[in-house]
Short mmCIF file of all heavy atoms in Angstrom, two decimals:
data_model
loop_
_atom_site.label_atom_id
_atom_site.label_comp_id
_atom_site.label_asym_id
_atom_site.label_seq_id
_atom_site.Cartn_x
_atom_site.Cartn_y
_atom_site.Cartn_z
N TRP V 278 -3.18 -141.09 204.14
CA TRP V 278 -3.65 -142.43 204.27
C TRP V 278 -3.26 -143.08 205.63
O TRP V 278 -4.04 -143.79 206.20
CB TRP V 278 -3.08 -143.28 203.14
CG TRP V 278 -3.88 -143.24 201.91
CD1 TRP V 278 -3.55 -142.61 200.79
CD2 TRP V 278 -5.15 -143.86 201.69
NE1 TRP V 278 -4.53 -142.77 199.85
CE2 TRP V 278 -5.53 -143.52 200.36
CE3 TRP V 278 -6.03 -144.65 202.44
CZ2 TRP V 278 -6.75 -143.97 199.77
CZ3 TRP V 278 -7.20 -145.10 201.86
CH2 TRP V 278 -7.56 -144.71 200.57
N TYR V 279 -2.02 -142.81 206.09
CA TYR V 279 -1.54 -143.56 207.20
C TYR V 279 -1.53 -142.77 208.53
O TYR V 279 -1.79 -143.24 209.59
CB TYR V 279 -0.15 -144.12 206.92
CG TYR V 279 -0.13 -144.97 205.64
CD1 TYR V 279 0.35 -144.45 204.45
CD2 TYR V 279 -0.66 -146.23 205.67
CE1 TYR V 279 0.31 -145.20 203.27
CE2 TYR V 279 -0.65 -147.04 204.51
CZ TYR V 279 -0.21 -146.49 203.32
OH TYR V 279 -0.19 -147.24 202.20
N GLY V 280 -1.15 -141.46 208.39
CA GLY V 280 -1.17 -140.58 209.55
C GLY V 280 -0.47 -141.19 210.72
O GLY V 280 0.67 -141.58 210.67
N GLN V 281 -1.15 -141.21 211.87
CA GLN V 281 -0.60 -141.74 213.10
C GLN V 281 -1.15 -143.13 213.38
O GLN V 281 -1.22 -143.58 214.53
CB GLN V 281 -0.94 -140.79 214.27
CG GLN V 281 -0.43 -139.38 214.10
CD GLN V 281 1.04 -139.32 213.97
OE1 GLN V 281 1.76 -140.00 214.72
NE2 GLN V 281 1.52 -138.46 213.09
N ALA V 282 -1.50 -143.86 212.34
CA ALA V 282 -2.10 -145.20 212.51
C ALA V 282 -1.10 -146.13 213.20
O ALA V 282 0.12 -146.04 213.02
CB ALA V 282 -2.54 -145.76 211.17
N ALA V 283 -1.65 -147.05 214.01
CA ALA V 283 -0.82 -148.06 214.66
C ALA V 283 -0.25 -149.05 213.64
O ALA V 283 -0.80 -149.15 212.50
CB ALA V 283 -1.64 -148.83 215.70
N ARG V 284 0.83 -149.70 213.98
CA ARG V 284 1.48 -150.65 213.08
C ARG V 284 1.46 -152.05 213.70
O ARG V 284 1.38 -152.22 214.91
CB ARG V 284 2.90 -150.22 212.80
CG ARG V 284 3.04 -148.83 212.22
CD ARG V 284 2.45 -148.72 210.86
NE ARG V 284 2.46 -147.34 210.35
CZ ARG V 284 3.42 -146.84 209.55
NH1 ARG V 284 4.45 -147.65 209.25
NH2 ARG V 284 3.39 -145.64 209.11
N THR V 285 1.53 -153.05 212.83
CA THR V 285 1.63 -154.43 213.27
C THR V 285 2.63 -155.15 212.42
O THR V 285 3.30 -154.49 211.59
CB THR V 285 0.24 -155.12 213.15
OG1 THR V 285 0.31 -156.43 213.74
CG2 THR V 285 -0.21 -155.22 211.71
N ASN V 286 2.81 -156.43 212.61
CA ASN V 286 3.76 -157.20 211.80
C ASN V 286 3.30 -157.22 210.33
O ASN V 286 2.09 -157.29 210.05
CB ASN V 286 3.89 -158.64 212.32
CG ASN V 286 4.52 -158.68 213.67
OD1 ASN V 286 5.35 -157.84 214.03
ND2 ASN V 286 4.19 -159.72 214.49
N TRP V 287 4.22 -157.26 209.42
CA TRP V 287 3.90 -157.19 207.98
C TRP V 287 3.15 -158.45 207.60
O TRP V 287 3.51 -159.56 208.00
CB TRP V 287 5.19 -157.04 207.14
CG TRP V 287 4.94 -156.61 205.74
CD1 TRP V 287 4.88 -155.35 205.28
CD2 TRP V 287 4.66 -157.47 204.64
NE1 TRP V 287 4.64 -155.33 203.92
CE2 TRP V 287 4.50 -156.63 203.50
CE3 TRP V 287 4.55 -158.87 204.48
CZ2 TRP V 287 4.18 -157.12 202.26
CZ3 TRP V 287 4.28 -159.37 203.21
CH2 TRP V 287 4.07 -158.52 202.08
N HIS V 288 2.06 -158.25 206.79
CA HIS V 288 1.24 -159.41 206.40
C HIS V 288 0.46 -159.09 205.12
O HIS V 288 0.32 -157.94 204.71
CB HIS V 288 0.22 -159.73 207.51
CG HIS V 288 -0.71 -158.58 207.82
ND1 HIS V 288 -0.31 -157.50 208.54
CD2 HIS V 288 -2.03 -158.41 207.46
CE1 HIS V 288 -1.32 -156.65 208.64
NE2 HIS V 288 -2.36 -157.17 207.98
N TRP V 289 -0.02 -160.16 204.50
CA TRP V 289 -0.87 -160.04 203.30
C TRP V 289 -2.31 -159.95 203.71
O TRP V 289 -2.69 -160.34 204.84
CB TRP V 289 -0.71 -161.27 202.37
CG TRP V 289 0.59 -161.32 201.69
CD1 TRP V 289 1.64 -162.11 202.04
CD2 TRP V 289 1.02 -160.64 200.50
NE1 TRP V 289 2.70 -161.95 201.15
CE2 TRP V 289 2.34 -161.02 200.21
CE3 TRP V 289 0.37 -159.68 199.69
CZ2 TRP V 289 3.03 -160.53 199.12
CZ3 TRP V 289 1.09 -159.21 198.61
CH2 TRP V 289 2.40 -159.56 198.35
N PHE V 290 -3.16 -159.38 202.83
CA PHE V 290 -4.57 -159.23 203.13
C PHE V 290 -5.34 -159.36 201.83
O PHE V 290 -4.99 -158.70 200.82
CB PHE V 290 -4.80 -157.86 203.77
CG PHE V 290 -6.25 -157.55 204.10
CD1 PHE V 290 -6.86 -158.20 205.17
CD2 PHE V 290 -6.99 -156.72 203.32
CE1 PHE V 290 -8.19 -157.92 205.50
CE2 PHE V 290 -8.32 -156.42 203.65
CZ PHE V 290 -8.92 -157.04 204.75
N ASP V 291 -6.44 -160.15 201.81
CA ASP V 291 -7.25 -160.34 200.63
C ASP V 291 -8.37 -159.35 200.64
O ASP V 291 -9.34 -159.44 201.39
CB ASP V 291 -7.78 -161.77 200.57
CG ASP V 291 -8.53 -162.07 199.30
OD1 ASP V 291 -8.64 -161.16 198.44
OD2 ASP V 291 -9.01 -163.21 199.10
N ASP V 292 -8.28 -158.32 199.78
CA ASP V 292 -9.30 -157.21 199.77
C ASP V 292 -10.06 -157.21 198.44
O ASP V 292 -10.63 -156.15 198.07
CB ASP V 292 -8.65 -155.86 200.02
CG ASP V 292 -7.65 -155.48 198.94
OD1 ASP V 292 -7.26 -156.36 198.11
OD2 ASP V 292 -7.22 -154.33 198.91
N ARG V 293 -10.14 -158.31 197.75
CA ARG V 293 -10.79 -158.34 196.45
C ARG V 293 -12.29 -157.97 196.53
O ARG V 293 -12.83 -157.48 195.60
CB ARG V 293 -10.64 -159.73 195.81
CG ARG V 293 -9.23 -160.07 195.35
CD ARG V 293 -9.18 -161.48 194.87
NE ARG V 293 -9.41 -162.44 195.96
CZ ARG V 293 -9.58 -163.74 195.80
NH1 ARG V 293 -9.58 -164.25 194.56
NH2 ARG V 293 -9.77 -164.52 196.86
N ALA V 294 -12.90 -158.31 197.64
CA ALA V 294 -14.35 -158.09 197.76
C ALA V 294 -14.72 -156.71 198.33
O ALA V 294 -15.89 -156.46 198.60
CB ALA V 294 -14.95 -159.17 198.67
N GLU V 295 -13.75 -155.82 198.51
CA GLU V 295 -13.99 -154.54 199.14
C GLU V 295 -14.25 -153.42 198.15
O GLU V 295 -13.69 -153.42 197.08
CB GLU V 295 -12.82 -154.22 200.08
CG GLU V 295 -12.68 -155.17 201.27
CD GLU V 295 -11.66 -154.69 202.26
OE1 GLU V 295 -10.89 -153.73 201.96
OE2 GLU V 295 -11.64 -155.28 203.39
N TRP V 296 -15.07 -152.48 198.57
CA TRP V 296 -15.28 -151.19 197.89
C TRP V 296 -15.70 -151.39 196.43
O TRP V 296 -15.45 -150.51 195.58
CB TRP V 296 -14.05 -150.30 197.94
CG TRP V 296 -13.60 -149.97 199.34
CD1 TRP V 296 -12.47 -150.35 199.91
CD2 TRP V 296 -14.31 -149.18 200.29
NE1 TRP V 296 -12.39 -149.88 201.19
CE2 TRP V 296 -13.52 -149.12 201.45
CE3 TRP V 296 -15.52 -148.50 200.28
CZ2 TRP V 296 -13.90 -148.47 202.59
CZ3 TRP V 296 -15.92 -147.82 201.41
CH2 TRP V 296 -15.12 -147.80 202.56
N ARG V 297 -16.37 -152.52 196.11
CA ARG V 297 -16.81 -152.78 194.74
C ARG V 297 -15.65 -152.66 193.71
O ARG V 297 -15.85 -152.27 192.59
CB ARG V 297 -17.94 -151.82 194.34
CG ARG V 297 -19.21 -151.97 195.14
CD ARG V 297 -20.04 -153.14 194.66
NE ARG V 297 -21.33 -153.22 195.32
CZ ARG V 297 -22.25 -154.12 195.06
NH1 ARG V 297 -22.03 -155.02 194.12
NH2 ARG V 297 -23.36 -154.15 195.71
N GLN V 298 -14.45 -152.98 194.19
CA GLN V 298 -13.20 -152.97 193.41
C GLN V 298 -12.85 -151.54 192.87
O GLN V 298 -12.07 -151.36 191.94
CB GLN V 298 -13.26 -153.92 192.17
CG GLN V 298 -13.33 -155.38 192.60
CD GLN V 298 -14.74 -155.78 193.08
OE1 GLN V 298 -15.74 -155.52 192.38
NE2 GLN V 298 -14.82 -156.43 194.22
N MET V 299 -13.45 -150.49 193.44
CA MET V 299 -13.11 -149.14 193.02
C MET V 299 -11.64 -148.80 193.28
O MET V 299 -10.97 -148.09 192.54
CB MET V 299 -14.00 -148.15 193.72
CG MET V 299 -15.46 -148.14 193.20
SD MET V 299 -15.58 -147.63 191.49
CE MET V 299 -15.04 -145.90 191.65
N ASP V 300 -11.09 -149.35 194.44
CA ASP V 300 -9.74 -149.07 194.72
C ASP V 300 -8.80 -149.70 193.69
O ASP V 300 -7.71 -149.14 193.38
CB ASP V 300 -9.35 -149.57 196.12
CG ASP V 300 -9.69 -151.04 196.31
OD1 ASP V 300 -10.69 -151.55 195.73
OD2 ASP V 300 -8.96 -151.72 197.09
N LYS V 301 -9.18 -150.85 193.15
CA LYS V 301 -8.35 -151.49 192.13
C LYS V 301 -8.31 -150.66 190.85
O LYS V 301 -7.27 -150.57 190.15
CB LYS V 301 -8.91 -152.91 191.80
CG LYS V 301 -9.02 -153.77 193.01
CD LYS V 301 -7.67 -153.99 193.70
CE LYS V 301 -7.80 -154.81 194.98
NZ LYS V 301 -8.29 -154.00 196.11
N MET V 302 -9.43 -150.06 190.52
CA MET V 302 -9.43 -149.18 189.36
C MET V 302 -8.56 -147.95 189.56
O MET V 302 -7.85 -147.45 188.65
CB MET V 302 -10.86 -148.75 189.04
CG MET V 302 -11.74 -149.92 188.65
SD MET V 302 -13.40 -149.44 188.14
CE MET V 302 -14.11 -151.07 187.88
N GLY V 303 -8.51 -147.47 190.82
CA GLY V 303 -7.63 -146.37 191.10
C GLY V 303 -6.17 -146.76 190.97
O GLY V 303 -5.35 -145.95 190.48
N HIS V 304 -5.83 -147.96 191.36
CA HIS V 304 -4.44 -148.45 191.22
C HIS V 304 -4.07 -148.47 189.73
O HIS V 304 -2.99 -148.06 189.34
CB HIS V 304 -4.30 -149.80 191.82
CG HIS V 304 -4.06 -149.76 193.31
ND1 HIS V 304 -2.81 -149.69 193.87
CD2 HIS V 304 -4.92 -149.75 194.37
CE1 HIS V 304 -2.87 -149.67 195.18
NE2 HIS V 304 -4.20 -149.70 195.52
N ALA V 305 -4.97 -149.08 188.94
CA ALA V 305 -4.64 -149.19 187.44
C ALA V 305 -4.53 -147.83 186.84
O ALA V 305 -3.64 -147.58 186.00
CB ALA V 305 -5.76 -150.04 186.78
N PHE V 306 -5.44 -146.89 187.19
CA PHE V 306 -5.42 -145.54 186.63
C PHE V 306 -4.09 -144.85 186.95
O PHE V 306 -3.43 -144.29 186.10
CB PHE V 306 -6.60 -144.76 187.22
CG PHE V 306 -6.54 -143.28 186.97
CD1 PHE V 306 -7.07 -142.74 185.82
CD2 PHE V 306 -5.98 -142.40 187.91
CE1 PHE V 306 -6.97 -141.35 185.59
CE2 PHE V 306 -5.91 -141.05 187.73
CZ PHE V 306 -6.43 -140.51 186.56
N SER V 307 -3.72 -144.89 188.22
CA SER V 307 -2.49 -144.25 188.63
C SER V 307 -1.27 -144.85 188.00
O SER V 307 -0.34 -144.10 187.57
CB SER V 307 -2.38 -144.35 190.19
OG SER V 307 -1.18 -143.77 190.66
N SER V 308 -1.22 -146.20 187.88
CA SER V 308 -0.04 -146.82 187.30
C SER V 308 0.04 -146.51 185.81
O SER V 308 1.17 -146.29 185.29
CB SER V 308 -0.17 -148.31 187.51
OG SER V 308 0.97 -149.01 187.08
N PHE V 309 -1.06 -146.45 185.11
CA PHE V 309 -1.00 -146.11 183.67
C PHE V 309 -0.42 -144.70 183.48
O PHE V 309 0.48 -144.55 182.64
CB PHE V 309 -2.48 -146.15 183.12
CG PHE V 309 -2.55 -145.70 181.70
CD1 PHE V 309 -2.50 -146.64 180.66
CD2 PHE V 309 -2.72 -144.36 181.32
CE1 PHE V 309 -2.61 -146.23 179.31
CE2 PHE V 309 -2.82 -143.93 180.03
CZ PHE V 309 -2.75 -144.87 179.00
N HIS V 310 -0.93 -143.73 184.20
CA HIS V 310 -0.46 -142.37 183.96
C HIS V 310 0.94 -142.09 184.52
O HIS V 310 1.66 -141.26 183.98
CB HIS V 310 -1.48 -141.38 184.53
CG HIS V 310 -2.71 -141.27 183.69
ND1 HIS V 310 -2.76 -140.64 182.46
CD2 HIS V 310 -4.02 -141.69 183.88
CE1 HIS V 310 -3.95 -140.75 181.91
NE2 HIS V 310 -4.71 -141.36 182.77
N CYS V 311 1.29 -142.80 185.55
CA CYS V 311 2.69 -142.75 186.04
C CYS V 311 3.60 -143.25 184.95
O CYS V 311 4.66 -142.61 184.66
CB CYS V 311 2.80 -143.53 187.32
SG CYS V 311 4.46 -143.44 188.05
N SER V 312 3.26 -144.40 184.38
CA SER V 312 4.11 -144.96 183.26
C SER V 312 4.12 -144.01 182.08
O SER V 312 5.19 -143.81 181.43
CB SER V 312 3.56 -146.33 182.86
OG SER V 312 3.64 -147.27 183.91
#
């Protein structure tokens, strides 16, 4: 995911409208099975 990506100061980002919320489903899926 991160590789050699550049870095900046730590900040929040509103990504609710991105990727049709598929990334949010991935988060929930991963958290369920990790638990």
Side-chain angles (χ1 to χ4, degrees):
W278 276 106
Y279 305 101
Q281 302 299 319
R284 303 295 175 93
T285 186
N286 294 330
W287 196 90
H288 60 284
W289 291 100
F290 180 74
D291 186 359
D292 63 347
R293 289 174 295 170
E295 294 190 348
W296 302 115
R297 297 280 186 178
Q298 295 78 49
M299 287 295 294
D300 56 326
K301 304 299 176 282
M302 296 185 183
H304 278 270
F306 168 86
S307 177
S308 187
F309 176 93
H310 285 289
C311 182
S312 296

